[in-house]
Amino acid sequence: MRCADEFRSREITTPLVEEIVRSLKRPVRIMEVCGTHTMSIFRHGIRSLLPDSLTLLSGPGCPVCVTPASHIDAFIKAANLPQVTIATFGDLIRVPGSKGSLAAARAGGARVEIVYSPMDALTLAAQEPGRIVLFPAIGFETTAPTIAATILQAERSGITNFMIIAACKTMPQALEALMADPELQVDALLCPGHVSAIIGADAYRPLAERFHLGCAVAGFEPADILAGLLSLIRQINNDAPRIDNCYTRAVTAQGNIKAQALLNEVFESADSEWRGLGTIPGSGLVLREKYRRFDGLHQLEIPLLPSKEPKGCRCGDILKGRLLPPDCPLYGTACTPLQPIGPCMVSNEGTCAAYYRYSGQKESRRQTQVERS
Amino acid sequence: MCLAIPMQVVEIKGGGDPLFDPQVALVENDGIRKEIRLEMADRVPAVGEYVIIHAGFAIRTLTEEEAEYNLSLMRQMATVLEEQGRLPEAPE
Ligand code: SF4
């Protein structure tokens, strides 16, 4: 599409890069917490345009990557029930649980369909009244209202064979938990575009104030991202952190009130386990009592069991910005996009996958250590 | 999962019954038409306007002018930068 090309054009990005170089007065570490930002930064080679003293860290912004193995295991368990069809976003199917994946279940005969929208899953349920269609509900504040709207539609049209496993998460609580970690050194946050479109730029105010942290909400095109980075560098230079909304074509201060209302009608917050980050209070969304009949865990009596991370996978440290993918001993050897071990290598938005595809670095820096140990 | 690029609405369908025939927008890209739900849209778009989409739902409606204005804003930003070596400060 034409407008996208215009956003990418060098005419716009070159002066932004030059201004970033001019403005940078000391080494700065900025975390981006949106999988789409991560992907865009790599795909457009933005890191290579920026000075070495500006470090970009990827945070827990990829919904697939932060879904813990316990939830993946529950999705697989549901898939293996003979009466159940799983209708899922495509990037979830290859994510490993503690044993196997949805793709492996499908190869073994389970019915797993890829959908683009939760509404497509509901359509499938309407077409096949003899089966239970279960949608693994992962995602952040942008996706949760789409699932809420789908559940409301299911209720209105009296479709009873549609269910979800509620595994959505909310961003501000996770960012609070991350920023409170004394080991994490981050000078400023590049806030997600579409999560912010829903929750509003003001949602980051407590975070900015409590941690004296610069925040910039940015869109996904290179010029958007560069404008966001420049805003953050200026905030750091002036020691005046605030919330700068650099994505006004989608984001307002208050966010999308309709979407918030949908979300609140169907879901309530609960503690939630994040892969690699552990359980974060109030960071998950579960169905309200009123909508309990759509709860697949409850209806199909599937337990959520504690689970282990894949052996040797360092996704947790990567999601916290402590390590870069090549610091993982499995990177590029045992773990590649074709043979992923951890979720960060599976999802298109995962940091390991983006690094592998676009950075040119295809091998772990730690390989020899592993061979010795 | 995010599609960042606004899509132009080519048709508004449905609306006969809010429960069983809710309004949807048809958007077109590369000759492929997609139905987009409007429950989350801040307002119902008119044909020719743009929507930003997430997982089959419009999450924000942009007028044609808004979409173009935003583009020109980005271009202007670049020009100002080139001339003055700095971006205009965003209003607080
Ligand atoms: S390279 Fe693979 S194993 Fe290592 S952290 Fe990334 S996803 Fe996990």
Side-chain angles (χ1 to χ4, degrees):
Chain A
M1 214 170 136
R2 224 187 73 240
C3 78
D5 297 339
E6 290 183 36
F7 271 110
R8 288 182 191 127
S9 106
R10 295 228 161 250
E11 264 172 62
I12 297 180
T13 55
T14 307
L16 283 166
V17 170
E18 285 168 3
E19 183 60 16
I20 286 175
V21 173
R22 259 200 302 275
S23 304
L24 204 61
K25 303 227 161 61
R26 63 164 177 93
V28 159
R29 290 162 66 87
I30 292 176
M31 178 176 264
E32 95 266 353
V33 276
C34 169
T36 315
H37 279 157
T38 304
M39 209 167 61
S40 185
I41 286 169
F42 278 101
R43 198 173 41 206
H44 300 294
I46 291 177
R47 276 171 199 243
S48 64
L49 301 175
L50 298 172
D52 289 343
S53 53
L54 175 56
T55 307
L56 293 183
L57 301 165
S58 306
C62 152
V64 168
C65 306
V66 298
T67 302
S70 57
H71 266 124
I72 307 285
D73 289 347
F75 303 154
I76 297 170
K77 228 172 253 154
N80 285 328
L81 295 173
Q83 73 276 31
V84 171
T85 297
I86 301 286
T88 176
F89 289 135
D91 47 358
L92 194 59
I93 77 160
R94 286 167 66 234
V95 177
S98 47
K99 229 177 87 198
S101 62
L102 283 173
R106 179 161 71 175
R111 265 199 64 193
V112 179
E113 307 282 345
I114 290 173
V115 290
Y116 157 77
S117 161
M119 206 56 95
D120 298 341
L122 183 62
T123 307
L124 198 65
Q127 285 162 354
E128 300 195 35
R131 296 187 62 79
I132 289 168
V133 174
L134 186 139
F135 180 78
I138 66 156
F140 297 123
E141 289 93 332
T142 331
T143 315
T146 70
I147 298 163
T150 305
I151 283 178
L152 293 174
Q153 177 71 30
E155 175 156 276
R156 281 191 301 251
S157 36
I159 296 174
T160 53
N161 61 326
F162 173 76
M163 294 172 193
I164 68 165
I165 289 180
C168 284
K169 301 192 186 303
T170 52
M171 200 48 104
Q173 293 76 6
L175 291 176
E176 283 268 348
L178 256 188
M179 295 306 141
D181 180 347
E183 275 186 51
L184 181 85
Q185 279 160 15
V186 167
D187 299 303
L189 273 185
L190 191 70
C191 298
H194 286 173
V195 164
S196 307
I198 306 302
I199 66 178
D202 277 353
Y204 304 100
R205 205 163 286 284
L207 196 72
E209 282 165 9
R210 183 162 160 218
F211 297 101
H212 198 66
L213 190 74
C215 294
V217 178
F220 304 112
E221 298 303 331
D224 288 327
I225 292 172
L226 292 169
L229 293 175
L230 183 55
S231 157
L232 292 173
I233 291 166
R234 292 200 165 136
Q235 293 182 41
I236 293 167
N237 285 347
N238 301 336
D239 193 30
R242 60 193 180 107
I243 296 150
D244 200 359
N245 181 359
C246 308
Y247 192 32
T248 48
R249 64 184 187 280
V251 178
T252 60
Q254 274 73 44
N256 183 327
I257 308 289
K258 269 190 177 171
Q260 291 168 13
L262 283 166
L263 191 152
N264 289 328
E265 165 63 25
V266 173
F267 294 110
E268 60 190 356
S269 65
D271 298 352
S272 179
E273 185 194 349
W274 293 57
R275 202 185 281 241
L277 306 181
T279 297
I280 301 174
S283 69
L285 294 171
V286 293
L287 287 165
R288 288 187 188 276
E289 189 60 41
K290 204 171 147 192
Y291 299 101
R292 201 66 193 286
R293 67 180 167 287
F294 293 102
D295 180 353
L297 290 181
H298 176 72
Q299 297 285 22
L300 305 171
E301 294 176 359
I302 294 171
L304 261 192
L305 300 172
S307 61
K308 286 208 197 89
E309 300 294 324
K311 208 165 163 262
C313 173
R314 307 298 299 270
C315 278
D317 290 313
I318 286 168
L319 293 169
K320 279 190 266 195
R322 284 208 194 132
L323 291 183
L324 287 174
D327 297 324
C328 168
L330 306 180
Y331 175 86
T333 50
C335 184
T336 63
L338 281 177
Q339 290 267 314
I341 288 181
C344 301
M345 190 60 97
V346 179
S347 169
N348 270 329
E349 299 185 351
T351 312
C352 296
Y355 225 94
Y356 191 85
R357 287 210 182 93
Y358 301 111
S359 78
Q361 171 112 20
K362 300 270 191 243
E363 276 171 21
S364 171
R365 291 194 274 261
R366 301 272 180 94
Q367 254 181 69
T368 42
Q369 280 173 7
V370 158
E371 276 155 20
R372 259 183 255 127
S373 62
Chain B
M1 258 187 251
C2 293
L3 238 179
I5 300 157
M7 302 267 250
Q8 198 167 25
V9 174
V10 294
E11 196 186 329
I12 300 287
K13 277 194 359 182
D17 180 317
L19 288 191
F20 301 106
D21 183 23
Q23 261 188 343
V24 294
L26 279 183
V27 298
E28 197 178 72
N29 193 26
D30 279 341
I32 298 165
R33 288 190 163 206
K34 257 191 266 177
E35 256 189 29
I36 301 300
R37 304 280 300 202
L38 296 173
E39 283 99 325
M40 275 167 78
D42 47 333
R43 63 181 175 79
V44 175
V47 171
E49 290 193 311
Y50 287 78
V51 284
I52 297 179
I53 299 164
H54 182 82
F57 286 76
I59 60 172
R60 172 114 174 139
T61 304
L62 301 176
T63 62
E64 242 179 303
E65 294 78 47
E66 269 177 311
E68 276 159 22
Y69 173 71
N70 275 289
L71 281 163
S72 72
L73 207 70
M74 300 299 279
R75 268 189 241 108
Q76 268 172 29
M77 196 151 76
T79 322
V80 171
L81 258 179
E82 247 160 354
E83 283 167 4
Q84 306 176 3
R86 62 186 271 302
L87 272 178
E89 285 294 333
E92 177 64 299

